[in-house]
Amino acid sequence: MKLLNEQHEVKVDKLAEVFDISLMTARRDLQQLESKGLLIRYHGGARLNSSYVSNEDLKVQKARDAISNYASTLIEDGDSIFINGSMTAAGILEYLKARNVSVVTNNAFAPGYSKLETIQIQLTGGLLRDHIMVGDYCVRNLLDTYRKKAFLGCSGISANGEILCGIPAELGINETMISHAREYFILADSSKLGKTESMGSFTLQNPGTIITDTGADPAIINRLRENGMTVVTIDPQTSRPGKLESEPSPAEK
């Protein structure tokens, strides 16, 4: 869907090449997505169902891509990192330019994002929930693993700094990744900030960095900073740190 959002149309043989899957698998996946109304199939390919994908959805996806792109610049040659089940976190691998990076992840889609042969990806194993590996087996493997940096997505971040997870089974996994990394980064587009509803949550014990976009509410950003978190806002147009949309300019101040 990300590829379709970018190109609006895609051929079956191109999908098979990009994701290293068979033509039969590509066709079956397209059929599944068509049944959800996300795309329209035709002989040899598919196109985006623009009536289903709203401008707001495209805006959110652009912000997430910019966050992934910026986060990739925080990784240096030879780094060892955690990536959790988030698609925004896995998207880092698509933009990654650093070499000889060692990745430990419970995201089954992560290998499909990696474009560099020097990137080593180790899957935690565990019980699959959609594309996310969870369960005791996954946690046990993480307990013996330490990384330099951890990059985690989430379902939301409350104004008090609680990290929300849509899958309760991933709570312990996220906490373990954070506690077993020297520094951590939470990737959350502005639509996820200030949320309160979720199936599970945990509070960050040690300060880290939240990477969001310039559409974020300044009041929530300030609250998170008061709680000790570093917050970086990314401009979706440039994938670089920018000014919040509702933040006054120096002249207005």
Side-chain angles (χ1 to χ4, degrees):
M1 288 309 301
K2 180 179 177 182
L3 191 64
L4 268 178
N5 280 329
E6 293 171 351
Q7 301 183 7
H8 305 293
E9 187 174 328
V10 67
K11 300 293 185 182
V12 172
D13 54 357
K14 178 66 175 180
L15 284 174
E17 178 187 346
V18 170
F19 297 111
D20 192 23
I21 56 177
S22 68
L23 292 173
M24 184 179 294
T25 297
R27 292 189 186 98
R28 185 170 61 244
D29 290 347
L30 288 176
Q31 184 176 9
Q32 213 171 33
L33 292 171
E34 185 182 44
S35 69
K36 298 178 181 179
L38 296 171
L39 53 81
I40 299 171
R41 284 191 304 154
Y42 59 83
H43 183 68
R47 65 177 181 273
L48 191 67
N49 187 351
S50 56
S51 62
Y52 182 88
V53 182
S54 68
N55 289 333
E56 187 61 29
D57 289 335
L58 293 175
K59 182 180 177 181
V60 169
Q61 186 57 57
K62 191 168 185 177
R64 291 173 181 173
D65 290 343
I67 290 170
S68 299
N69 192 352
Y70 173 78
S72 73
T73 67
L74 304 177
I75 301 171
E76 302 172 326
D77 290 349
D79 267 354
S80 58
I81 66 173
F82 285 123
I83 286 178
N84 77 341
S86 158
M87 299 303 287
T88 305
I92 290 172
L93 299 175
E94 184 175 9
Y95 298 100
L96 190 61
K97 292 182 173 57
R99 296 185 170 275
N100 300 316
V101 175
S102 175
V103 181
V104 171
T105 181
N106 66 322
N107 192 322
F109 285 163
Y113 279 86
S114 179
K115 296 181 178 179
L116 298 177
E117 293 181 359
T118 60
I119 305 303
Q120 182 185 63
I121 297 178
Q122 177 183 336
L123 299 176
T124 60
L127 180 66
L128 271 180
R129 287 285 305 273
D130 293 327
H131 65 281
I132 300 174
M133 301 175 192
V134 298
D136 292 341
Y137 186 87
C138 176
V139 174
R140 283 201 302 270
N141 284 339
L142 286 173
L143 288 174
D144 295 328
T145 307
Y146 292 84
R147 304 277 98 175
K148 186 175 179 181
K149 300 167 184 173
F151 295 88
L152 298 91
C154 60
S155 299
I157 303 177
S158 73
N160 294 322
E162 283 186 316
I163 304 302
L164 311 179
C165 299
I167 301 178
E170 203 181 8
L171 285 173
I173 293 169
N174 291 340
E175 290 177 314
T176 303
M177 286 184 175
I178 288 174
S179 63
H180 283 215
R182 295 183 197 173
E183 57 180 330
Y184 69 89
F185 304 85
I186 305 295
L187 315 182
D189 67 87
S190 57
S191 70
K192 295 183 176 181
L193 267 60
K195 282 192 173 182
T196 55
E197 75 284 353
S198 181
M199 296 175 66
S201 66
F202 65 94
T203 302
L204 298 168
Q205 301 299 320
N206 301 314
T209 300
I210 294 173
I211 305 175
T212 185
D213 62 84
T214 50
D217 184 341
I220 296 176
I221 296 295
N222 290 335
R223 183 79 173 273
L224 291 169
R225 286 171 175 161
E226 288 171 0
N227 290 337
M229 297 297 291
T230 298
V231 182
V232 181
T233 57
I234 305 302
D235 184 342
Q237 303 301 324
T238 65
S239 298
R240 296 177 181 175
K243 182 172 72 68
L244 295 175
E245 289 181 0
S246 51
E247 183 182 35
S249 67
E252 293 170 328
K253 290 180 181 179

